[in-house]
mmCIF file of all heavy atoms in Angstrom:
data_model
loop_
_atom_site.group_PDB
_atom_site.id
_atom_site.type_symbol
_atom_site.label_atom_id
_atom_site.label_comp_id
_atom_site.label_asym_id
_atom_site.label_seq_id
_atom_site.Cartn_x
_atom_site.Cartn_y
_atom_site.Cartn_z
ATOM 1 N N MET Y 224 115.730 104.033 107.831
ATOM 2 C CA MET Y 224 116.081 102.804 108.558
ATOM 3 C C MET Y 224 116.505 101.652 107.647
ATOM 4 O O MET Y 224 116.797 100.553 108.115
ATOM 5 C CB MET Y 224 114.881 102.358 109.412
ATOM 6 C CG MET Y 224 114.553 103.294 110.564
ATOM 7 S SD MET Y 224 115.910 103.488 111.741
ATOM 8 C CE MET Y 224 115.963 101.849 112.468
ATOM 9 N N VAL Y 327 120.259 97.382 105.702
ATOM 10 C CA VAL Y 327 119.478 97.389 106.943
ATOM 11 C C VAL Y 327 120.228 98.264 107.940
ATOM 12 O O VAL Y 327 121.410 98.017 108.212
ATOM 13 C CB VAL Y 327 119.336 95.961 107.522
ATOM 14 C CG1 VAL Y 327 118.644 95.996 108.891
ATOM 15 C CG2 VAL Y 327 118.580 95.050 106.558
ATOM 16 N N VAL Y 328 119.566 99.296 108.438
ATOM 17 C CA VAL Y 328 120.233 100.197 109.396
ATOM 18 C C VAL Y 328 120.069 99.654 110.815
ATOM 19 O O VAL Y 328 118.963 99.312 111.230
ATOM 20 C CB VAL Y 328 119.642 101.619 109.306
ATOM 21 C CG1 VAL Y 328 120.143 102.503 110.445
ATOM 22 C CG2 VAL Y 328 119.993 102.246 107.957
ATOM 23 N N MET Y 329 121.183 99.559 111.545
ATOM 24 C CA MET Y 329 121.124 99.251 112.976
ATOM 25 C C MET Y 329 121.259 100.572 113.720
ATOM 26 O O MET Y 329 122.209 101.325 113.482
ATOM 27 C CB MET Y 329 122.256 98.320 113.389
ATOM 28 C CG MET Y 329 122.120 96.918 112.818
ATOM 29 S SD MET Y 329 123.459 95.850 113.376
ATOM 30 C CE MET Y 329 122.604 94.904 114.603
ATOM 31 N N ALA Y 330 120.296 100.832 114.595
ATOM 32 C CA ALA Y 330 120.292 102.098 115.326
ATOM 33 C C ALA Y 330 120.288 101.822 116.824
ATOM 34 O O ALA Y 330 119.960 100.712 117.263
ATOM 35 C CB ALA Y 330 119.054 102.910 114.936
ATOM 36 N N ALA Y 331 120.641 102.846 117.589
ATOM 37 C CA ALA Y 331 120.627 102.723 119.043
ATOM 38 C C ALA Y 331 119.183 102.731 119.528
ATOM 39 O O ALA Y 331 118.376 103.544 119.056
ATOM 40 C CB ALA Y 331 121.399 103.888 119.665
ATOM 41 N N LYS Y 332 118.851 101.824 120.461
ATOM 42 C CA LYS Y 332 117.486 101.777 120.999
ATOM 43 C C LYS Y 332 117.083 103.159 121.498
ATOM 44 O O LYS Y 332 117.842 103.798 122.227
ATOM 45 C CB LYS Y 332 117.402 100.769 122.149
ATOM 46 C CG LYS Y 332 117.242 99.341 121.666
ATOM 47 C CD LYS Y 332 117.152 98.364 122.831
ATOM 48 C CE LYS Y 332 117.186 96.928 122.305
ATOM 49 N NZ LYS Y 332 117.550 95.955 123.362
ATOM 50 N N GLY Y 333 115.908 103.614 121.099
ATOM 51 C CA GLY Y 333 115.446 104.944 121.494
ATOM 52 C C GLY Y 333 115.455 105.910 120.319
ATOM 53 O O GLY Y 333 114.661 106.840 120.273
ATOM 54 N N TYR Y 334 116.395 105.704 119.359
ATOM 55 C CA TYR Y 334 116.448 106.556 118.166
ATOM 56 C C TYR Y 334 115.098 106.514 117.438
ATOM 57 O O TYR Y 334 114.519 105.452 117.359
ATOM 58 C CB TYR Y 334 117.574 106.062 117.240
ATOM 59 C CG TYR Y 334 117.602 106.743 115.895
ATOM 60 C CD1 TYR Y 334 118.176 108.006 115.765
ATOM 61 C CD2 TYR Y 334 117.031 106.146 114.761
ATOM 62 C CE1 TYR Y 334 118.175 108.646 114.535
ATOM 63 C CE2 TYR Y 334 117.032 106.789 113.533
ATOM 64 C CZ TYR Y 334 117.604 108.036 113.427
ATOM 65 O OH TYR Y 334 117.608 108.672 112.222
ATOM 66 N N TYR Y 338 118.792 108.276 123.178
ATOM 67 C CA TYR Y 338 119.437 106.953 123.155
ATOM 68 C C TYR Y 338 120.778 107.048 123.864
ATOM 69 O O TYR Y 338 121.333 108.134 124.051
ATOM 70 C CB TYR Y 338 119.617 106.469 121.715
ATOM 71 C CG TYR Y 338 120.324 107.476 120.842
ATOM 72 C CD1 TYR Y 338 121.716 107.599 120.858
ATOM 73 C CD2 TYR Y 338 119.599 108.339 120.030
ATOM 74 C CE1 TYR Y 338 122.358 108.547 120.078
ATOM 75 C CE2 TYR Y 338 120.236 109.289 119.248
ATOM 76 C CZ TYR Y 338 121.618 109.378 119.280
ATOM 77 O OH TYR Y 338 122.256 110.326 118.532
ATOM 78 N N GLU Y 339 121.281 105.864 124.214
ATOM 79 C CA GLU Y 339 122.558 105.773 124.900
ATOM 80 C C GLU Y 339 123.690 105.780 123.880
ATOM 81 O O GLU Y 339 123.535 105.246 122.780
ATOM 82 C CB GLU Y 339 122.590 104.414 125.619
ATOM 83 C CG GLU Y 339 123.033 104.450 127.064
ATOM 84 C CD GLU Y 339 123.101 103.024 127.600
ATOM 85 O OE1 GLU Y 339 122.074 102.295 127.511
ATOM 86 O OE2 GLU Y 339 124.168 102.648 128.090
ATOM 87 N N LYS Y 340 124.828 106.361 124.266
ATOM 88 C CA LYS Y 340 126.027 106.274 123.418
ATOM 89 C C LYS Y 340 127.080 105.423 124.131
ATOM 90 O O LYS Y 340 126.889 105.051 125.284
ATOM 91 C CB LYS Y 340 126.600 107.671 123.175
ATOM 92 C CG LYS Y 340 125.854 108.438 122.117
ATOM 93 C CD LYS Y 340 126.610 109.704 121.773
ATOM 94 C CE LYS Y 340 125.769 110.607 120.884
ATOM 95 N NZ LYS Y 340 126.341 111.930 120.743
ATOM 96 N N ASP Y 341 128.176 105.160 123.447
ATOM 97 C CA ASP Y 341 129.323 104.453 124.037
ATOM 98 C C ASP Y 341 129.006 103.020 124.442
ATOM 99 O O ASP Y 341 129.630 102.482 125.351
ATOM 100 C CB ASP Y 341 129.877 105.216 125.256
ATOM 101 C CG ASP Y 341 130.202 106.657 124.926
ATOM 102 O OD1 ASP Y 341 130.739 106.892 123.819
ATOM 103 O OD2 ASP Y 341 129.906 107.544 125.745
ATOM 104 N N THR Y 342 128.023 102.394 123.791
ATOM 105 C CA THR Y 342 127.742 100.986 124.095
ATOM 106 C C THR Y 342 128.561 100.107 123.145
ATOM 107 O O THR Y 342 128.821 100.472 121.992
ATOM 108 C CB THR Y 342 126.240 100.677 123.955
ATOM 109 O OG1 THR Y 342 125.817 100.995 122.629
ATOM 110 C CG2 THR Y 342 125.424 101.521 124.943
ATOM 111 N N VAL Y 343 128.969 98.943 123.660
ATOM 112 C CA VAL Y 343 129.923 98.096 122.930
ATOM 113 C C VAL Y 343 129.215 97.282 121.843
ATOM 114 O O VAL Y 343 128.166 96.684 122.074
ATOM 115 C CB VAL Y 343 130.637 97.150 123.923
ATOM 116 C CG1 VAL Y 343 131.552 96.170 123.176
ATOM 117 C CG2 VAL Y 343 131.423 97.979 124.940
ATOM 118 N N ILE Y 344 129.826 97.268 120.660
ATOM 119 C CA ILE Y 344 129.285 96.520 119.510
ATOM 120 C C ILE Y 344 130.277 95.411 119.171
ATOM 121 O O ILE Y 344 131.464 95.697 118.948
ATOM 122 C CB ILE Y 344 129.125 97.447 118.287
ATOM 123 C CG1 ILE Y 344 128.306 98.688 118.670
ATOM 124 C CG2 ILE Y 344 128.472 96.705 117.124
ATOM 125 C CD1 ILE Y 344 128.425 99.817 117.668
ATOM 126 N N GLY Y 345 129.797 94.178 119.114
ATOM 127 C CA GLY Y 345 130.714 93.060 118.876
ATOM 128 C C GLY Y 345 130.444 92.329 117.575
ATOM 129 O O GLY Y 345 129.335 92.349 117.043
ATOM 130 N N PHE Y 346 131.489 91.690 117.077
ATOM 131 C CA PHE Y 346 131.419 90.739 115.955
ATOM 132 C C PHE Y 346 130.983 91.357 114.623
ATOM 133 O O PHE Y 346 130.405 90.665 113.786
ATOM 134 C CB PHE Y 346 130.497 89.552 116.306
ATOM 135 C CG PHE Y 346 130.998 88.762 117.488
ATOM 136 C CD1 PHE Y 346 130.357 88.852 118.719
ATOM 137 C CD2 PHE Y 346 132.130 87.960 117.369
ATOM 138 C CE1 PHE Y 346 130.826 88.141 119.811
ATOM 139 C CE2 PHE Y 346 132.603 87.252 118.471
ATOM 140 C CZ PHE Y 346 131.950 87.340 119.690
ATOM 141 N N VAL Y 347 131.283 92.656 114.440
ATOM 142 C CA VAL Y 347 130.970 93.282 113.145
ATOM 143 C C VAL Y 347 131.744 92.593 112.021
ATOM 144 O O VAL Y 347 131.229 92.399 110.920
ATOM 145 C CB VAL Y 347 131.278 94.798 113.192
ATOM 146 C CG1 VAL Y 347 131.171 95.415 111.816
ATOM 147 C CG2 VAL Y 347 130.326 95.481 114.162
ATOM 148 N N ARG Y 349 132.443 89.527 111.691
ATOM 149 C CA ARG Y 349 131.775 88.285 111.250
ATOM 150 C C ARG Y 349 130.751 88.585 110.158
ATOM 151 O O ARG Y 349 130.588 87.824 109.206
ATOM 152 C CB ARG Y 349 131.040 87.617 112.430
ATOM 153 C CG ARG Y 349 131.942 86.802 113.321
ATOM 154 C CD ARG Y 349 131.192 85.722 114.096
ATOM 155 N NE ARG Y 349 129.989 86.143 114.769
ATOM 156 C CZ ARG Y 349 129.642 85.772 116.012
ATOM 157 N NH1 ARG Y 349 130.438 84.999 116.717
ATOM 158 N NH2 ARG Y 349 128.505 86.172 116.539
ATOM 159 N N ALA Y 361 128.107 104.267 110.643
ATOM 160 C CA ALA Y 361 127.591 105.634 110.762
ATOM 161 C C ALA Y 361 128.120 106.170 112.099
ATOM 162 O O ALA Y 361 129.253 106.633 112.173
ATOM 163 C CB ALA Y 361 126.080 105.629 110.663
ATOM 164 N N GLY Y 362 127.316 106.082 113.163
ATOM 165 C CA GLY Y 362 127.790 106.578 114.457
ATOM 166 C C GLY Y 362 128.602 105.534 115.197
ATOM 167 O O GLY Y 362 128.067 104.839 116.065
ATOM 168 N N THR Y 363 129.875 105.394 114.842
ATOM 169 C CA THR Y 363 130.756 104.464 115.577
ATOM 170 C C THR Y 363 132.091 105.148 115.858
ATOM 171 O O THR Y 363 132.492 106.075 115.151
ATOM 172 C CB THR Y 363 131.091 103.195 114.764
ATOM 173 O OG1 THR Y 363 131.861 103.566 113.615
ATOM 174 C CG2 THR Y 363 129.840 102.448 114.341
ATOM 175 N N LEU Y 370 134.965 98.573 119.560
ATOM 176 C CA LEU Y 370 134.048 99.390 118.763
ATOM 177 C C LEU Y 370 132.849 99.783 119.624
ATOM 178 O O LEU Y 370 132.199 98.917 120.213
ATOM 179 C CB LEU Y 370 133.576 98.585 117.548
ATOM 180 C CG LEU Y 370 132.653 99.344 116.579
ATOM 181 C CD1 LEU Y 370 133.430 100.421 115.822
ATOM 182 C CD2 LEU Y 370 131.987 98.376 115.603
ATOM 183 N N VAL Y 371 132.570 101.092 119.676
ATOM 184 C CA VAL Y 371 131.414 101.554 120.467
ATOM 185 C C VAL Y 371 130.526 102.457 119.615
ATOM 186 O O VAL Y 371 130.963 103.037 118.617
ATOM 187 C CB VAL Y 371 131.844 102.299 121.768
ATOM 188 C CG1 VAL Y 371 132.617 101.374 122.699
ATOM 189 C CG2 VAL Y 371 132.628 103.559 121.449
ATOM 190 N N SER Y 372 129.272 102.584 120.054
ATOM 191 C CA SER Y 372 128.317 103.418 119.337
ATOM 192 C C SER Y 372 128.585 104.888 119.651
ATOM 193 O O SER Y 372 129.031 105.227 120.742
ATOM 194 C CB SER Y 372 126.896 103.045 119.745
ATOM 195 O OG SER Y 372 126.673 103.407 121.092
ATOM 196 N N ALA Y 373 128.302 105.743 118.677
ATOM 197 C CA ALA Y 373 128.562 107.176 118.874
ATOM 198 C C ALA Y 373 127.469 108.016 118.226
ATOM 199 O O ALA Y 373 127.669 109.188 117.922
ATOM 200 C CB ALA Y 373 129.928 107.532 118.284
ATOM 201 N N GLY Y 374 126.297 107.419 118.004
ATOM 202 C CA GLY Y 374 125.228 108.181 117.359
ATOM 203 C C GLY Y 374 123.937 107.388 117.351
ATOM 204 O O GLY Y 374 123.858 106.313 117.965
ATOM 205 N N GLY Y 375 122.919 107.919 116.663
ATOM 206 C CA GLY Y 375 121.615 107.269 116.588
ATOM 207 C C GLY Y 375 121.636 106.125 115.592
ATOM 208 O O GLY Y 375 121.431 104.968 115.927
ATOM 209 N N ARG Y 376 121.909 106.471 114.327
ATOM 210 C CA ARG Y 376 122.079 105.407 113.341
ATOM 211 C C ARG Y 376 123.545 104.982 113.409
ATOM 212 O O ARG Y 376 124.454 105.815 113.349
ATOM 213 C CB ARG Y 376 121.688 105.906 111.958
ATOM 214 C CG ARG Y 376 120.176 106.144 111.885
ATOM 215 C CD ARG Y 376 119.709 106.421 110.480
ATOM 216 N NE ARG Y 376 120.220 107.668 109.955
ATOM 217 C CZ ARG Y 376 120.083 108.051 108.672
ATOM 218 N NH1 ARG Y 376 119.489 107.266 107.810
ATOM 219 N NH2 ARG Y 376 120.556 109.209 108.271
ATOM 220 N N VAL Y 377 123.793 103.707 113.521
ATOM 221 C CA VAL Y 377 125.135 103.244 113.884
ATOM 222 C C VAL Y 377 125.798 102.404 112.797
ATOM 223 O O VAL Y 377 126.959 102.607 112.462
ATOM 224 C CB VAL Y 377 125.080 102.512 115.253
ATOM 225 C CG1 VAL Y 377 126.385 101.814 115.560
ATOM 226 C CG2 VAL Y 377 124.746 103.537 116.351
ATOM 227 N N LEU Y 378 125.068 101.443 112.214
ATOM 228 C CA LEU Y 378 125.644 100.599 111.164
ATOM 229 C C LEU Y 378 124.642 100.451 110.029
ATOM 230 O O LEU Y 378 123.431 100.520 110.256
ATOM 231 C CB LEU Y 378 125.969 99.198 111.709
ATOM 232 C CG LEU Y 378 127.023 99.081 112.820
ATOM 233 C CD1 LEU Y 378 127.035 97.648 113.369
ATOM 234 C CD2 LEU Y 378 128.409 99.459 112.318
ATOM 235 N N GLY Y 379 125.143 100.252 108.823
ATOM 236 C CA GLY Y 379 124.283 99.945 107.665
ATOM 237 C C GLY Y 379 124.745 98.627 107.077
ATOM 238 O O GLY Y 379 125.757 98.574 106.377
ATOM 239 N N ILE Y 380 124.009 97.561 107.393
ATOM 240 C CA ILE Y 380 124.401 96.228 106.925
ATOM 241 C C ILE Y 380 123.895 96.102 105.496
ATOM 242 O O ILE Y 380 122.688 96.095 105.248
ATOM 243 C CB ILE Y 380 123.751 95.115 107.790
ATOM 244 C CG1 ILE Y 380 123.730 95.495 109.273
ATOM 245 C CG2 ILE Y 380 124.409 93.772 107.535
ATOM 246 C CD1 ILE Y 380 125.047 95.716 109.890
ATOM 247 N N ALA Y 398 123.322 90.754 109.740
ATOM 248 C CA ALA Y 398 122.944 91.545 110.918
ATOM 249 C C ALA Y 398 122.853 90.653 112.160
ATOM 250 O O ALA Y 398 123.220 91.062 113.267
ATOM 251 C CB ALA Y 398 121.607 92.245 110.667
ATOM 252 N N SER Y 399 122.403 89.417 111.967
ATOM 253 C CA SER Y 399 122.225 88.522 113.124
ATOM 254 C C SER Y 399 123.565 88.084 113.716
ATOM 255 O O SER Y 399 123.614 87.582 114.835
ATOM 256 C CB SER Y 399 121.376 87.304 112.730
ATOM 257 O OG SER Y 399 122.135 86.462 111.885
ATOM 258 N N GLN Y 400 124.652 88.282 112.982
ATOM 259 C CA GLN Y 400 125.981 87.938 113.506
ATOM 260 C C GLN Y 400 126.487 88.967 114.517
ATOM 261 O O GLN Y 400 127.384 88.704 115.307
ATOM 262 C CB GLN Y 400 127.011 87.893 112.358
ATOM 263 C CG GLN Y 400 126.705 86.923 111.254
ATOM 264 C CD GLN Y 400 126.826 85.495 111.714
ATOM 265 O OE1 GLN Y 400 127.764 85.142 112.427
ATOM 266 N NE2 GLN Y 400 125.859 84.679 111.352
ATOM 267 N N ILE Y 401 125.920 90.176 114.433
ATOM 268 C CA ILE Y 401 126.455 91.283 115.240
ATOM 269 C C ILE Y 401 125.828 91.253 116.631
ATOM 270 O O ILE Y 401 124.620 91.066 116.766
ATOM 271 C CB ILE Y 401 126.174 92.625 114.525
ATOM 272 C CG1 ILE Y 401 126.972 92.657 113.217
ATOM 273 C CG2 ILE Y 401 126.513 93.816 115.418
ATOM 274 C CD1 ILE Y 401 126.654 93.815 112.307
ATOM 275 N N GLU Y 402 126.664 91.424 117.641
ATOM 276 C CA GLU Y 402 126.145 91.427 119.019
ATOM 277 C C GLU Y 402 126.151 92.848 119.557
ATOM 278 O O GLU Y 402 127.217 93.425 119.797
ATOM 279 C CB GLU Y 402 126.974 90.489 119.900
ATOM 280 C CG GLU Y 402 126.616 89.055 119.604
ATOM 281 C CD GLU Y 402 127.274 88.065 120.546
ATOM 282 O OE1 GLU Y 402 127.791 88.490 121.610
ATOM 283 O OE2 GLU Y 402 127.280 86.878 120.192
ATOM 284 N N TRP Y 403 124.953 93.390 119.679
ATOM 285 C CA TRP Y 403 124.818 94.751 120.191
ATOM 286 C C TRP Y 403 123.473 94.874 120.898
ATOM 287 O O TRP Y 403 122.464 95.255 120.278
ATOM 288 C CB TRP Y 403 124.926 95.758 119.031
ATOM 289 C CG TRP Y 403 124.864 97.178 119.470
ATOM 290 C CD1 TRP Y 403 125.321 97.718 120.645
ATOM 291 C CD2 TRP Y 403 124.290 98.273 118.735
ATOM 292 N NE1 TRP Y 403 125.080 99.060 120.694
ATOM 293 C CE2 TRP Y 403 124.443 99.432 119.530
ATOM 294 C CE3 TRP Y 403 123.676 98.377 117.493
ATOM 295 C CZ2 TRP Y 403 123.994 100.672 119.110
ATOM 296 C CZ3 TRP Y 403 123.231 99.617 117.078
ATOM 297 C CH2 TRP Y 403 123.399 100.760 117.882
ATOM 298 N N PRO Y 404 123.430 94.536 122.177
ATOM 299 C CA PRO Y 404 122.157 94.511 122.910
ATOM 300 C C PRO Y 404 121.462 95.870 122.942
ATOM 301 O O PRO Y 404 120.233 95.921 123.035
ATOM 302 C CB PRO Y 404 122.560 94.096 124.334
ATOM 303 C CG PRO Y 404 123.929 93.527 124.222
ATOM 304 C CD PRO Y 404 124.566 94.123 123.004
ATOM 305 N N GLU Y 405 122.221 96.957 122.838
ATOM 306 C CA GLU Y 405 121.610 98.297 122.918
ATOM 307 C C GLU Y 405 121.135 98.790 121.553
ATOM 308 O O GLU Y 405 120.711 99.934 121.419
ATOM 309 C CB GLU Y 405 122.597 99.302 123.524
ATOM 310 C CG GLU Y 405 122.913 99.071 124.990
ATOM 311 C CD GLU Y 405 123.948 97.968 125.213
ATOM 312 O OE1 GLU Y 405 124.558 97.522 124.214
ATOM 313 O OE2 GLU Y 405 124.132 97.554 126.367
ATOM 314 N N GLY Y 406 121.199 97.919 120.545
ATOM 315 C CA GLY Y 406 120.795 98.339 119.208
ATOM 316 C C GLY Y 406 119.503 97.679 118.769
ATOM 317 O O GLY Y 406 119.028 96.733 119.390
ATOM 318 N N PHE Y 407 118.916 98.208 117.694
ATOM 319 C CA PHE Y 407 117.737 97.569 117.097
ATOM 320 C C PHE Y 407 117.749 97.825 115.597
ATOM 321 O O PHE Y 407 118.443 98.715 115.110
ATOM 322 C CB PHE Y 407 116.433 98.105 117.725
ATOM 323 C CG PHE Y 407 115.992 99.442 117.177
ATOM 324 C CD1 PHE Y 407 114.990 99.531 116.209
ATOM 325 C CD2 PHE Y 407 116.588 100.615 117.614
ATOM 326 C CE1 PHE Y 407 114.592 100.765 115.687
ATOM 327 C CE2 PHE Y 407 116.197 101.861 117.100
ATOM 328 C CZ PHE Y 407 115.199 101.931 116.147
ATOM 329 N N TYR Y 408 116.977 97.007 114.883
ATOM 330 C CA TYR Y 408 116.785 97.266 113.451
ATOM 331 C C TYR Y 408 115.415 96.768 113.034
ATOM 332 O O TYR Y 408 114.824 95.926 113.705
ATOM 333 C CB TYR Y 408 117.888 96.627 112.600
ATOM 334 C CG TYR Y 408 118.177 95.162 112.847
ATOM 335 C CD1 TYR Y 408 117.527 94.172 112.123
ATOM 336 C CD2 TYR Y 408 119.132 94.770 113.783
ATOM 337 C CE1 TYR Y 408 117.816 92.832 112.327
ATOM 338 C CE2 TYR Y 408 119.421 93.433 113.999
ATOM 339 C CZ TYR Y 408 118.765 92.462 113.271
ATOM 340 O OH TYR Y 408 119.041 91.134 113.479
#
Side-chain angles (χ1 to χ4, degrees):
M224 292 300 292
V327 174
V328 170
M329 291 182 103
K332 278 180 188 161
Y334 172 80
Y338 53 81
E339 228 184 305
K340 281 189 189 169
D341 306 320
T342 58
V343 175
I344 307 164
F346 298 107
V347 171
R349 279 204 312 223
T363 65
L370 183 70
V371 297
S372 68
R376 291 189 294 171
V377 170
L378 297 171
I380 321 299
S399 71
Q400 302 291 317
I401 294 172
E402 284 187 15
W403 183 33
E405 292 80 10
F407 80 100
Y408 51 91

